[in-house]
Amino acid sequence: MRGRVAHAGVGGWGKNVVRVVGELADLAWICDTDRARLDEYAQRYPQAQLTRDFGDLLADDEVEAVVIATPVPTHHELAKAALEAGKHVFVEKPPAMRVEEMEELVALAEARDLVLMPGHLLLYHPGLRKVKELVDTGELGEVACVYGNRQNLGVIRSNENALWSLGVHDLSVILWLLGEEPSEAVAHGVDYLQKGIEDVVFCFLRFPSGKVAHMHLSWLDPHKMRRMTVVGREKMVVFDDMELERKVTVYEKAPWEPASTYGEWRTRTGDISSPKIPNDEPLRLELEHFLRLVEEGPGDHREARDGLAVVRALDRLTASLRDGR
């Protein structure tokens, strides 16, 4: 699973990504616009060439794939250039901030039979993989609703609002769990700190199947929350990423209508269980999957198309935010 890979962006989250890339692949290049950052990696990865010019990565014919972990506004331009250069691309979320740009990237990847994989990290979290299993096997019964809470005090962004910074995480999970795109997308938010950049956003999604979802997104909150709840007709499950051990909790709770009555609903309460969840690092699992695609081929380009669905929903929610303002 080792191939020659170039990495762009070693600030913020990028330093975590390059660590795992260096463990899994032949790290041939490291690119960043900050010379001081590059100097930090010179001794750590002596085999890698360092550059501030992204074009150097693309000009190397031995580089099979490019990993992009740069600031969000640069994602589309860099990913497009890499695809046009014939490189497989892993790009942090979101790969583009406009539907038309994401459609362009997906079309390029499909036309050239290249991997385009957005960095939707939570889809590789073992805890959420368990939640997906519970949904798909029908153990929860028919799913009625999903809601996510992603709140904290900071990090306060200036080039993207809470929807695009935080919402992309939970939105990717919701679409993945339900397996459909929303027919209705409504968002309300407030820009307290910086004009035009919403710090607090509430989103409502309705799906063709009748399922609904809600997201509360904020970087102005006294509590750090990373929680996803799925309500089924038979059971309910909560994924809480702030829990050290009980990441997933299954509740045998549901409303039911006794056969002896008419129109009278009661609640049923049973066992509460917490399945054992592996401690595998989601980032490692994610990049292993990317490198496997590079080796075996992009197949049906599902990862790219799922990324397009997320950007499409983000775009609709953004339009709702603007209309509300």
Side-chain angles (χ1 to χ4, degrees), residues 102-120:
M102 188 61 192
E103 288 174 339
E104 180 183 34
L105 294 180
V106 174
L108 262 175
E110 291 181 346
R112 303 187 179 215
D113 200 33
L114 293 168
V115 177
L116 171 63
M117 181 171 159
H120 293 307

Side-chain angles (χ1 to χ4, degrees), residues 65 95 114 124 127-128 134 139 146 151 187 196 200 213 216 218 222 225 257 269 318:
L114 293 168
Y124 299 87
L128 281 167
L134 294 171
E139 186 169 339
V146 182
Q151 298 124 248
V200 181
H216 176 191
S218 172
M225 295 184 67
E257 186 178 18
T269 301
T318 298

Side-chain angles (χ1 to χ4, degrees), residues 19-325:
R19 169 183 58 81
V20 178
V21 172
E23 294 170 356
L24 297 177
D26 180 1
L27 183 59
W29 288 88
I30 298 177
C31 177
D32 198 282
T33 56
D34 189 322
R35 170 54 64 184
R37 287 178 185 166
L38 287 178
D39 291 342
E40 292 179 20
Y41 286 86
Q43 293 183 338
R44 193 178 309 176
Y45 300 104
Q47 82 286 0
Q49 299 187 70
L50 307 179
T51 182
R52 297 174 65 188
D53 186 349
F54 188 73
D56 291 341
L57 283 54
L58 307 186
D60 187 340
D61 293 335
E62 294 187 359
V63 168
E64 295 181 76
V66 176
V67 174
I68 300 170
T70 55
V72 170
T74 67
H75 286 177
H76 168 257
E77 178 184 358
L78 298 181
K80 179 182 177 182
L83 290 169
E84 289 178 336
K87 313 296 186 186
H88 301 287
V89 173
F90 174 93
V91 54
E92 276 302 334
K93 57 196 167 299
M97 298 188 73
R98 295 174 60 242
V99 172
E100 296 80 5
E101 293 176 345
M102 188 61 192
E103 288 174 339
E104 180 183 34
L105 294 180
V106 174
L108 262 175
E110 291 181 346
R112 303 187 179 215
D113 200 33
L114 293 168
V115 177
L116 171 63
M117 181 171 159
H120 293 307
L121 179 69
L122 288 180
L123 305 191
Y124 299 87
H125 194 297
L128 281 167
R129 289 266 164 173
K130 182 62 179 179
V131 174
K132 175 69 169 170
E133 177 189 321
L134 294 171
V135 171
D136 289 350
T137 59
E139 186 169 339
L140 303 181
E142 182 184 358
V143 172
C145 64
V146 182
Y147 59 92
N149 297 88
R150 187 163 293 270
Q151 298 124 248
N152 197 17
L153 184 58
V155 174
I156 298 164
R157 309 283 184 177
S158 59
N159 58 7
E160 56 186 341
N161 62 14
L163 173 61
W164 284 84
S165 177
L166 304 176
V168 63
H169 297 274
D170 288 356
L171 189 57
S172 66
V173 173
I174 290 170
L175 300 189
W176 175 62
L177 289 177
L178 300 184
E180 54 183 332
E181 293 190 49
S183 53
E184 180 183 353
V186 179
H188 295 282
V190 183
D191 50 351
Y192 287 110
L193 302 182
Q194 303 170 87
K195 185 172 179 58
I197 302 176
E198 288 83 3
D199 315 287
V200 181
V201 179
F202 297 91
C203 303
F204 173 82
L205 302 166
R206 189 187 303 276
F207 295 84
S209 63
K211 299 177 179 64
V212 297
H214 172 265
M215 298 188 297
H216 176 191
L217 313 164
S218 172
W219 54 51
L220 290 180
D221 199 275
H223 304 101
K224 183 172 183 178
M225 295 184 67
R226 300 287 184 266
R227 185 181 297 163
M228 183 73 65
T229 302
V230 182
V231 176
R233 289 190 176 273
E234 301 299 326
K235 296 180 182 179
M236 305 176 186
V237 61
V238 175
F239 166 77
D240 191 340
D241 206 15
M242 300 308 298
E243 287 282 346
L244 292 178
E245 296 183 357
R246 294 180 53 173
K247 295 282 187 185
V248 176
T249 305
V250 182
Y251 299 85
E252 290 191 27
K253 291 184 174 184
W256 66 294
E257 186 178 18
S260 58
T261 65
Y262 178 75
E264 180 183 347
W265 287 86
R266 300 178 185 174
T267 56
R268 172 177 56 80
T269 301
D271 292 337
I272 300 174
S273 60
S274 183
K276 183 174 177 58
I277 303 298
N279 285 325
D280 300 328
E281 183 184 13
L283 182 56
R284 187 179 183 89
L285 296 176
E286 180 182 43
L287 288 168
E288 284 178 343
H289 181 69
F290 170 65
L291 293 173
R292 195 175 302 114
L293 290 175
V294 170
E295 184 178 344
E296 300 174 358
D300 60 2
H301 296 274
R302 176 180 57 82
E303 292 78 10
R305 293 174 183 173
D306 287 349
L308 174 57
V310 172
V311 173
R312 197 153 41 214
L314 283 169
D315 192 69
R316 293 179 62 190
L317 289 166
T318 298
S320 176
L321 272 178
R322 300 297 171 257
D323 291 344
R325 185 183 301 169

